[in-house]
Structures are given as C-alpha cells and as structure tokens.
Amino acid sequence: DIQMTQSPSSLSASVGDRVTITCRASQGISNYLAWYQQKPGKVPNLLIYAASTLHSGVPSRFSGSGSGTDFTLTISSLQPEDVATYYCQKYISAPGTFGQGTKVEIK
Amino acid sequence: EVQLVESGGVVVQPGGSLRLSCAASGFTFDDYAMHWVRQAPGKGLEWVSLISWDGGSTYYADSVKGRFTISRDNSKNSLYLQMNSLRGEDTALYYCTKGSDVGTTTLLDYWGQGTLVTVSS
C-alpha cells in the first residue's frame, strides 16, 4: 500500500506568516491528493482536492500544489482561525491513507 | 444540507461485537459511495472502509479486514459497520463520511459528528 508522510508534524507561526506543509506519497498518485482541516474538538473538513482545487467555501489564502509524489499546502497569511491539524490523504483508490497530520499553532 | 448522523457507539469488552449505524440525508444516497473513518483519542485519522453506491464493492483497511463488515440499505438511506472481535486498539471516534463519487476513490466531502466506541474490560 502507498504510504503518506507529512512534514513537519507541528509548527508555530505568527499571524500573517506564510505557512507551508508538505506531503509525500511513497508511490505516484498523479493529483489524487486531498487536504483536510480539523480544528480542535471539531470534525475534519475537506479543504482541497485534486491537489490544488479549493473545496466550496474555503478561503483563498489556502492553496495546494504538486503532482506525482510531492505535494504542498500553503497558507499565504496565517489567521487565528487557522489553528488546526491538517491531514493529507491519497484518494486514487482504497485504502484512503492519511498522512500523520501537521498541527499548526499561533506563536 | 448534507447530514450524516452516526449512532451505536458504546463501551464494549474485548472480543465483543458492535454495529454502528449512520443515517444520511440531504443528498441522493444511492448516487455515492460511503466510508467509515476513525480517530483514536489524541491520534490522527485512519480510513477504515468503503462501500460502493450499490454495495457491490467493499474495501477495508488491513487493521480491520476479516473483523469488520460494511453494508448499506439504500431504501433507508443508511450505512452500517458491523464490528466483531473488537480489540483495545479499535477504541476510537468513528466517522461516517460521504464519498465524492459512486465508486472506489476515497475522497471524503462530508463528515458526520462521529460516534465513540470504547473497547475495555
């Protein structure tokens, strides 16, 4: 099975900072990569799919890029409401393996 | 508005069985695959199982294969997860999730609030 590896596992940044999270697949998955946001105590929400397409209602400060094995989630200007754990997931086929998550905090 | 409401989570002894249910509304249920995803306390997300729109195809994570069975009743807009031979490591919040298409890709566009399963003696 394809493994998904995220880095870093956690980060702390200031409001307004540009934040980047990376996700690597152990085999190529084309652009079948999604990002989910899980705020503390809340249900996960789909953020980005097809590596770079924002889900409905997601602010434009979020963006995604990549194809094949290497992917990136970027928050262009970190806001207090972005405090959350972010997960990547490959969805080309079952199993729908998630990365281990990246916890984003405000410095 | 898409709604997914899970039920059935309880405290169960190791080796026991449990059936989770998910009531779906706000979309045409039999147009989409459905999934279960779980999250152990303080841990990350783990995809558990998928069932295609018509129930004809099912897939499982290796960690639950042979112990869990996913099913659906399209006449009742309901999804189920039969969990047998439960272990401590199955303790988690179990989310019912809607797939984005009819088949076997695993993009999850809507999530329920989850139901808590605790396996403990």
Side-chain angles (χ1 to χ4, degrees):
Chain A
D1 290 343
I2 297 172
Q3 304 304 312
M4 306 300 294
T5 304
Q6 284 181 238
S7 62
S9 56
S10 66
L11 66 88
S12 181
S14 299
V15 172
D17 281 355
R18 183 181 183 88
V19 168
T20 299
I21 300 168
T22 63
C23 177
R24 175 165 289 177
S26 61
Q27 298 175 38
I29 57 171
S30 183
N31 69 336
Y32 288 84
L33 191 282
W35 291 97
Y36 298 85
Q37 177 192 60
Q38 186 176 31
K39 295 183 178 181
K42 301 297 185 182
V43 175
N45 286 310
L46 177 62
L47 206 59
I48 289 172
Y49 61 95
S52 61
T53 303
L54 265 59
H55 189 51
S56 174
V58 174
S60 59
R61 63 180 178 273
F62 291 92
S63 64
S65 64
S67 184
T69 60
D70 294 309
F71 302 89
T72 299
L73 171 68
T74 299
I75 308 172
S76 61
S77 177
L78 186 68
Q79 299 302 304
E81 59 266 32
D82 300 334
V83 168
T85 300
Y86 295 84
Y87 297 91
C88 65
Q89 184 213 21
K90 69 95 169 169
Y91 64 91
I92 189 170
S93 62
T97 308
F98 291 92
Q100 78 275 22
T102 296
K103 187 174 185 178
V104 174
E105 298 176 318
I106 299 291
K107 193 180 294 183
Chain B
E1 179 194 4
V2 172
Q3 287 199 331
L4 301 167
V5 180
E6 303 93 337
S7 61
V10 292
V11 178
V12 61
Q13 291 190 339
S17 297
L18 197 57
R19 189 196 199 203
L20 304 183
S21 300
C22 171
S25 61
F27 64 102
T28 304
F29 186 69
D30 55 9
D31 274 354
Y32 296 94
M34 295 294 294
H35 305 248
W36 290 97
V37 175
R38 69 184 182 183
Q39 187 169 34
K43 302 297 184 182
L45 301 173
E46 181 186 13
W47 178 87
V48 172
S49 185
L50 148 70
I51 187 166
S52 61
W53 68 278
D54 62 350
S57 297
T58 58
Y59 299 84
Y60 299 92
D62 286 345
S63 58
V64 306
K65 202 172 294 181
R67 301 188 298 123
F68 289 11
T69 302
I70 191 171
S71 61
R72 65 190 295 161
D73 185 338
N74 286 346
S75 69
K76 296 181 178 179
N77 287 357
S78 293
L79 175 72
Y80 306 100
L81 186 67
Q82 177 66 42
M83 310 165 66
N84 297 331
S85 303
L86 283 161
R87 307 166 180 168
E89 54 264 37
D90 296 319
T91 294
L93 188 63
Y94 284 74
Y95 293 105
C96 168
T97 65
K98 173 186 167 291
S100 63
D101 61 23
V102 300
T104 59
T105 63
T106 58
L107 181 63
L108 312 168
D109 56 7
Y110 290 93
W111 298 57
Q113 293 297 310
T115 188
L116 182 62
V117 173
T118 303
V119 183
S120 175
S121 55

